[in-house]
C-alpha cells in the first residue's frame, strides 16, 4: 500500500518504524563498507567471511521486520477490503516470503 | 593465511581477485544505500523486500567466491604443510561454511 | 485454527490440499530413505550432498505451501475476528516465517 | 572418493562415521513421517511448520557433517595427488557448498 497506490493510501506498512529501519540499513551499509576495508587491507578470508555472514543476517532481520509490518498493516487492510485486493496482497506476501526463504 | 600470519604468508586467498571482490562489495554497498532511499521515499514494502533479497543473494555470492579461493589457496597450502596447520584450516573452513549455510 | 482450537474451528488452513501435502511429504520421506540407502552403499559424498540439498528444498517448498494456506485461511479469518485473535495469529505467522528464513 | 572411483579408493569420506550418519538420517525420516501424521490429524499449521523447520535444520546438519568429512578426507587426498584430481575435487566441493547455501 505504498505511494504507488495513490495519495489516499500513501503510507507503507513500516511508516511508524521508518527511522528504526533507516538506522538498521545505515548500520548494514557501514558493515559492507567495513568488509571492503578488510579486503583492501588483505585481511584473512575467514574473518572477512564472518563479517559477510553477520551482514547477511542483519539484512534478513530488516526484511523480517518489514514483512511483519507489511502483514500487520497492508495485508490486514487488504483483508478488510476483501476481494481482489485481498487476493493480490496475499499473493504478493507469499512471493516475498518465498524469495526470503530461498535467499 | 592473511596478514595476521606474518609477513612470510602475507596474501589472503582472494589476492588475485581482490579488485573483482571490491567491485562486487561496492555494488552491494550501493544496493543497501538504494534500499535506504526507497524507505526514505516511503516505497512499497514488497518492492523494498525484493531489493533486500537481491542484496542478500549478492552478499552470499561474494562469500561463496571468497570461500572458493580460500579452499583453493589457504586450505591447499595448509594440506601441503600438514599436521596442526591442516587441522586448524579445515576446522576454520567448516565453521565458516556452517555460518554461511545458517545465515 | 487447528483442532486444538476446538470442534467449532476444526479445519487447519491446508484442509483443501491435505492430500497434495501428504503426497509431497511421502515423496520427501522416500528421498530421505534414498539418502540412507546411498550412505549404506558408500556412495560418493558429493552425490549424497546433492540429494540432501534436493530434500531440503522440497521441505521448504511444502513449508511455503502450508504458510500460504495459513495466511489465506487462518490469518484472514483472524483479521475478520480482529482484536487479540488477529494480533496472536499475526505474531505466530511472523515467528513461523522467521524460523523458515533462518532454517 | 566414492565407489564410482573404483576399488582402489572405495571408501567415501564419511566411512568412519557411517553409522552415526545413518542414525541421524533415520531420525530425520521419522521426523518427516511424524509431520505426515500431524497433517493426517489436521494439526495446527503453525505446529506443522515448526516441525518442518526442525527437519530442515537436521538435514542441513547432516550435510555439514558429510561436507566436513569430505573436506578432511577426499579433498585432502586430492590435494596430495595434486593436478587435475585436486582441481576437480575443489570444484565439486565449491558447487556442493553453493547448493547448500542456496537451499
Amino acid at each position: 500500500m505504498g505511494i504507488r497506490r495513490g495519495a489516499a493510501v500513501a503510507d507503507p506498512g513500516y511508516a511508524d518504524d521508518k527511522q528504526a529501519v533507516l538506522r538498521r540499513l545505515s548500520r548494514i551499509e557501514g558493515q559492507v563498507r567495513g568488509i571492503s576495508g578488510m579486503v583492501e587491507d588483505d585481511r584473512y578470508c575467514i574473518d572477512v567471511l564472518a563479517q559477510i555472514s553477520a551482514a547477511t543476517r542483519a539484512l534478513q532481520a530488516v526484511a523480517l521486520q518489514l514483512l511483519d509490518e507489511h502483514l500487520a498493516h497492508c495485508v490486514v487492510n487488504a483483508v478488510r477490503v476483501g476481494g481482489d485486493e485481498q487476493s493480490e496482497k496475499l499473493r504478493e506476501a507469499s512471493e516475498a516470503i518465498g524469495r526470503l526463504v530461498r535467499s
Side-chain angles (χ1 to χ4, degrees), chain A:
Chain A
M1 221 151 60
I3 51 170
R4 72 176 188 187
R5 299 283 159 179
V9 284
D11 291 334
Y14 53 80
D16 291 347
D17 293 298
K18 186 168 155 174
Q19 293 313 316
V21 170
L22 286 171
R23 272 193 301 275
R24 293 175 87 165
L25 286 168
S26 157
R27 209 148 44 216
I28 293 167
E29 200 187 316
Q31 280 180 286
V32 177
R33 193 158 42 239
I35 295 166
S36 291
M38 292 176 81
V39 171
E40 281 284 10
D41 294 347
D42 299 319
R43 291 280 295 279
Y44 186 47
C45 330
I46 294 290
D47 297 338
V48 177
L49 285 171
Q51 290 310 306
I52 294 182
S53 291
T56 304
R57 279 194 302 277
L59 268 178
Q60 287 177 332
V62 175
L64 289 172
Q65 183 186 353
L66 289 175
L67 191 62
D68 275 12
E69 293 170 10
H70 181 67
L71 292 176
H73 295 96
C74 310
V75 173
V76 162
N77 286 337
V79 170
R80 286 178 186 145
V81 173
D84 287 352
E85 177 74 3
Q86 173 183 314
S87 312
E88 161 77 358
K89 284 285 179 287
L90 286 172
R91 193 187 51 70
E92 272 182 0
S94 291
E95 288 172 4
I97 295 166
R99 276 194 298 268
L100 277 181
V101 169
R102 281 184 289 266
S103 74

